[in-house]
Amino acid sequence: MTTETFEFQVEARQLLQLMIHSVYSNKDVFLRELVSNASDALDKLRLEKLRDDSLDADVSDLHIEIDVDKEARTLTVRDNGIGMSYDEVGQLIGTIANSGTAGFLKELREAQDAAGAEGLIGQFGVGFYSGFMVADEVTLVTRRAGESQGTRWTSRGESTYTLEKVDDAPQGTSVTLHLKPADPENQLHDYTSPWTIKEIVKRYSDFITWPIRMVPEQGDGEDASEPETLNSMKALWARSRDEVSDDEYHELYKHISHDWREPLETIRLQAEGTFEYQALLFVPSHAPHDLFTRDFKRGVQLYVKRVFIMDDCEALLPPYLRFVKGVVDAQDLSLNVSREILQQDRHIRMMQRRLTKKVLSTVKEIKTKDADRYATFWREFGTVLKEGLVTDSENRDAILAVASLATTHAEDEPTTLAQYVERMKDGQEDIYYITGESRQSIENSPHMEAFRDKGIEVLLLTDAVDEVWVDAVGEYEGKKLRSVAKGEIDLDGEKDEKADGEREKQTEEYAGLLGWMREQLDEDIKEVRLSARLTVSPACVVSDAHDLTPALENMYRAMGQEVPRTKRILELNPDHLLVKNLNQAYKEREDRSGLVESAELLHTLAVLAEGGQPKDPARFVKLVADRLERTL
């Protein structure tokens, strides 16, 4: 047969060189990756045969086999799974899954330590290439199930690889590694040692549901021994809790998630009755860097009676639990399900409802029993969990019960809504909050002055989703959620007649100025009024009770939605000297054209104080500069 030689892509060559030159401290993972690839091939053949009974393929004894030859120093990982065609070998192996290689290289170079780099293997379909960490040459022989001709691929991991068609290839795929000499100092073990192979398989691949076999060593004159099965083949989710160690659970998590760190929590669920399924879910200890990107792959693995159906099954958990990884194994689903069918399947909806409640109840349990682990969870996933307050009204109370929110009550200790309600002052009817970009900016907001002065606790909400969920929730235990920057605020409760008289007197005194400023600032504001929330600042801008906040308007615009600009309300502090002097000047001058700039500056200062931007920054700078010049 004709042998053809091809060159690797540039990125593929760079990746090979990084692997060959010992980027990874733990080279044992190459066997995990090859076994995992073999297991996937067996899953695919089993599923293909179930879907197409006419497929000419032997599925009577699907297994993975490991052979070692000490004299030749070779190790072969063989499966009798789906195999690959000639074109598939060239496409999938020759180009390293032909996508994502450049991104993989970037992450690889940026990994801060060997453990971090090791965890990247497998993320972009490069598990096969991990073999070059321990081998000088790799040979792959494969034949796709149902086809008569096989393919041989060979490379020394340099710039080229060869492809040739072969007639005697068995069904499936075998990968033969021509091993480098053992080098214990560089963590390069003797992979012809049966003990080493057994230890690696037990550590990484014991949960694989297909038998992983190896022929035992035999002495001179001994008869050939029966192959030894190295793994238990019993899926971890099907074994009782006391049969499985935490290390085994953690290894499964790492295999599923490609995360090198241990999970924060392991969640088991076994549903029995009319619809049976088992679930083994994991809450990671760190949020992935792409958690909030559109391309983030969410969902858990779906099996039906131990048969792998799909990765990233989104229908099993809502989007706000997209950080959860794991396996769900159902007993009564069709093997021919598609993602579209799953969205409509009644059983899937039942499973999602129960899995969601189980995850939330587990988070509540962590919160009750382990403050440190809960703090880690909320720091990593609190923002995404709060999305459920908007999208999942059924579980809103459960999410509110575990929500941890920053507050003026304590700088370093967040609070729950229940704790806030317990601390509410006598006569306080509402739960007050303020939203903004950072704690520092909103704590110093003029909207907070009266609340700080009277010692009233305010929730400090700095996540983008906070702008949305507070309106969606509306109230908690009969207490309305109220923004300190919206509507009119009255913190005095029942006023006495003297206080009422004082306010009426102030309103009458400032009536002319308020009306005049309303006319002058008509393009930007819809009302000017005296403020009950200011004690130090001269002015602030607030939104009407039912209007969108500027931050929410910007959020909608960023999503491509056209939102009309909402005019806001300017509030003045009648006790501030600047406002008093402006009112006095208004009353004394017949020609008030010189006061227009003062009114404009006062409004812009109020916008800046809440973290907004001047409508015309250049004009604002000029007005301030002119005023400073006149005062010197």
Side-chain angles (χ1 to χ4, degrees):
M1 294 293 177
T2 302
T3 301
E4 294 184 89
T5 300
F6 300 88
E7 286 195 359
F8 284 112
Q9 291 178 324
V10 174
E11 293 90 348
R13 289 202 299 271
Q14 293 174 349
L15 178 59
L16 284 168
Q17 291 307 306
L18 282 171
M19 286 190 166
I20 292 169
H21 290 93
S22 303
V23 170
Y24 305 98
S25 61
N26 183 5
K27 297 176 175 60
D28 294 351
V29 296
F30 86 90
L31 188 56
R32 177 193 71 185
E33 294 301 318
L34 295 181
V35 168
S36 180
N37 288 347
S39 176
D40 289 344
L42 296 172
D43 286 335
K44 290 174 182 176
L45 177 60
R46 176 74 177 273
L47 185 58
E48 192 70 23
K49 184 68 173 176
L50 287 167
R51 288 174 172 170
D52 181 8
D53 191 51
S54 65
L55 179 67
D56 182 18
D58 181 9
V59 294
S60 60
D61 181 27
L62 298 180
H63 65 278
I64 301 165
E65 187 175 312
I66 301 176
D67 286 339
V68 294
D69 185 330
K70 285 196 170 186
E71 291 186 7
R73 286 200 58 75
T74 62
L75 181 148
T76 300
V77 178
R78 183 181 298 111
D79 68 74
N80 55 348
I82 192 70
M84 289 179 282
S85 67
Y86 183 90
D87 289 340
E88 286 173 331
V89 173
Q91 179 186 7
L92 301 177
I93 302 298
T95 60
I96 306 190
N98 78 62
S99 67
T101 311
F104 177 86
L105 279 169
K106 183 174 183 291
E107 290 204 29
L108 192 60
R109 294 190 182 105
E110 292 176 354
Q112 296 298 309
D113 51 37
E118 173 192 320
L120 294 174
I121 289 186
Q123 286 195 10
F124 294 93
V126 297
F128 168 76
Y129 279 85
S130 61
F132 283 101
M133 293 190 294
V134 300
D136 291 319
E137 182 176 292
V138 176
T139 300
L140 175 144
V141 178
T142 184
R143 177 171 66 82
R144 185 170 181 81
E147 296 186 358
S148 59
Q149 194 170 54
T151 304
R152 178 182 288 110
W153 178 99
T154 305
S155 178
R156 296 188 61 84
E158 295 167 349
S159 59
T160 63
Y161 61 92
T162 63
L163 278 178
E164 64 177 310
K165 297 179 179 179
V166 293
D167 291 329
D168 56 349
Q171 170 190 304
T173 301
S174 68
V175 179
T176 299
L177 308 179
H178 300 266
L179 297 168
K180 299 175 181 178
D183 185 359
E185 289 186 5
N186 289 318
Q187 302 297 311
L188 187 60
H189 302 128
D190 181 8
Y191 296 110
T192 64
S193 163
W195 182 89
T196 300
I197 298 300
K198 290 178 183 179
E199 192 273 332
I200 295 173
V201 169
K202 186 69 176 176
R203 185 183 351 141
Y204 288 121
S205 306
D206 189 55
F207 61 87
I208 295 290
T209 54
W210 306 105
I212 303 171
R213 299 170 183 163
M214 185 171 69
V215 177
E217 286 185 288
Q218 54 195 60
D220 294 338
E222 292 183 6
D223 295 333
S225 304
E226 286 294 316
E228 177 184 358
T229 299
L230 305 183
N231 60 322
S232 70
M233 287 182 293
K234 194 171 184 182
L236 293 188
W237 56 88
R239 295 159 64 180
S240 63
R241 179 65 183 88
D242 55 6
E243 291 180 6
V244 186
S245 68
D246 288 340
D247 287 343
E248 289 176 300
Y249 281 136
H250 295 170
E251 199 53 54
L252 175 60
Y253 164 74
K254 293 174 184 178
H255 174 79
I256 291 171
S257 66
H258 302 295
D259 185 0
W260 64 90
R261 293 163 291 213
E262 294 183 352
L264 184 72
E265 182 64 33
T266 301
I267 304 172
R268 290 176 53 90
L269 176 64
Q270 180 157 342
E272 298 178 344
T274 55
F275 184 70
E276 296 184 1
Y277 60 92
Q278 296 163 317
L280 184 58
L281 306 178
F282 301 95
V283 177
S285 56
H286 291 78
H289 67 276
D290 56 348
L291 182 62
F292 291 97
T293 64
R294 183 172 297 179
D295 296 331
F296 179 73
K297 290 185 177 180
R298 66 180 181 88
V300 298
Q301 292 184 351
L302 175 64
Y303 283 72
V304 175
K305 297 178 181 177
R306 310 283 182 83
V307 176
F308 175 76
I309 301 299
M310 69 176 67
D311 263 326
D312 309 316
C313 182
E314 297 179 356
L316 288 170
L317 285 171
Y320 69 89
L321 294 180
R322 57 185 175 272
F323 54 86
V324 175
K325 301 296 182 183
V327 173
V328 174
D329 190 354
Q331 301 302 308
D332 302 307
L333 283 176
S334 166
L335 290 168
N336 293 311
V337 295
S338 65
R339 293 186 185 275
E340 292 72 28
I341 293 173
L342 285 175
Q343 297 293 338
Q344 309 298 326
D345 191 278
R346 180 175 61 89
H347 288 142
I348 290 290
R349 292 199 299 271
M350 290 168 51
M351 291 165 68
Q352 186 198 80
R353 189 176 295 117
R354 180 151 183 203
L355 291 172
T356 300
K357 291 184 182 300
K358 181 65 175 178
V359 172
L360 293 176
S361 67
T362 301
V363 173
K364 185 177 182 180
E365 187 176 340
I366 295 173
K367 182 178 182 300
T368 303
K369 296 181 178 179
D370 193 330
D372 290 339
R373 280 202 309 144
Y374 168 74
T376 298
F377 169 82
W378 191 259
R379 181 182 67 247
E380 299 294 326
F381 303 111
T383 301
V384 66
L385 193 69
K386 284 188 286 187
E387 293 175 12
L389 294 172
V390 182
T391 60
D392 188 359
S393 57
E394 180 181 345
N395 291 296
R396 185 173 289 165
D397 290 342
I399 300 172
L400 286 174
V402 300
S404 185
L405 309 171
T407 172
T408 55
H409 177 71
E411 186 172 344
D412 300 323
E413 293 183 16
T415 190
T416 64
L417 289 177
Q419 291 169 331
Y420 180 103
V421 170
E422 288 178 3
R423 292 192 296 264
M424 285 174 61
K425 292 182 174 293
D426 291 340
Q428 181 181 342
E429 297 180 354
D430 301 322
I431 297 172
Y432 292 106
Y433 70 88
I434 184 170
T435 59
E437 292 186 357
S438 69
R439 179 177 182 128
Q440 181 179 2
S441 66
I442 57 181
E443 273 193 309
N444 295 326
S445 168
H447 301 121
M448 294 284 292
E449 292 174 1
F451 294 87
R452 189 183 303 111
D453 193 49
K454 295 180 180 296
I456 296 176
E457 184 176 356
V458 179
L459 300 176
L460 308 173
L461 308 180
T462 56
D463 293 325
V465 69
D466 293 330
E467 295 279 356
V468 184
W469 76 256
V470 286
D471 285 333
V473 172
E475 64 175 40
Y476 176 77
E477 292 187 357
K479 308 290 185 181
K480 184 179 179 182
L481 292 167
R482 286 197 63 187
S483 169
V484 303
K486 292 180 72 172
E488 293 196 65
I489 297 292
D490 177 12
L491 301 181
D492 293 326
E494 293 294 327
K495 298 187 179 72
D496 54 32
E497 292 184 6
K498 184 177 179 181
D500 284 338
E502 182 67 25
R503 178 48 60 92
E504 288 179 9
K505 183 179 178 182
Q506 283 185 330
T507 302
E508 183 178 339
E509 181 181 348
Y510 282 88
L513 176 66
L514 299 180
W516 176 79
M517 289 185 67
R518 165 72 178 80
E519 292 176 3
Q520 302 305 316
L521 302 172
D522 181 62
E523 286 188 10
D524 302 304
I525 61 173
K526 62 181 175 182
E527 183 182 351
V528 183
R529 67 190 181 202
L530 298 182
S531 178
R533 72 186 93 215
L534 296 174
T535 61
V536 178
S537 301
C540 68
V541 283
V542 300
S543 299
D544 221 344
H546 302 293
D547 285 347
L548 295 179
T549 63
L552 203 51
E553 285 185 19
N554 292 335
M555 193 185 306
Y556 284 130
R557 291 190 186 105
M559 294 187 293
Q561 298 186 31
E562 288 297 324
V563 180
R565 182 168 168 268
T566 304
K567 290 184 179 181
R568 304 182 72 201
I569 299 167
L570 177 64
E571 289 192 351
L572 304 182
N573 180 358
D575 298 320
H576 195 281
L577 187 59
L578 174 58
V579 176
K580 287 182 177 181
N581 290 342
L582 182 61
N583 187 45
Q584 189 66 30
Y586 167 80
K587 290 181 177 180
E588 292 176 353
R589 299 182 189 180
E590 291 186 11
D591 180 9
R592 301 186 179 104
S593 58
L595 298 180
V596 174
E597 290 183 354
S598 298
E600 186 180 340
L601 279 172
L602 192 59
H603 171 250
T604 308
L605 288 172
V607 172
L608 286 170
E610 68 164 5
Q613 296 294 324
K615 182 174 68 173
D616 187 346
R619 174 173 171 75
F620 173 70
V621 170
K622 183 179 183 303
L623 290 176
V624 172
D626 290 346
R627 292 301 173 103
L628 288 173
E629 183 181 339
R630 291 200 292 268
T631 61
L632 295 176

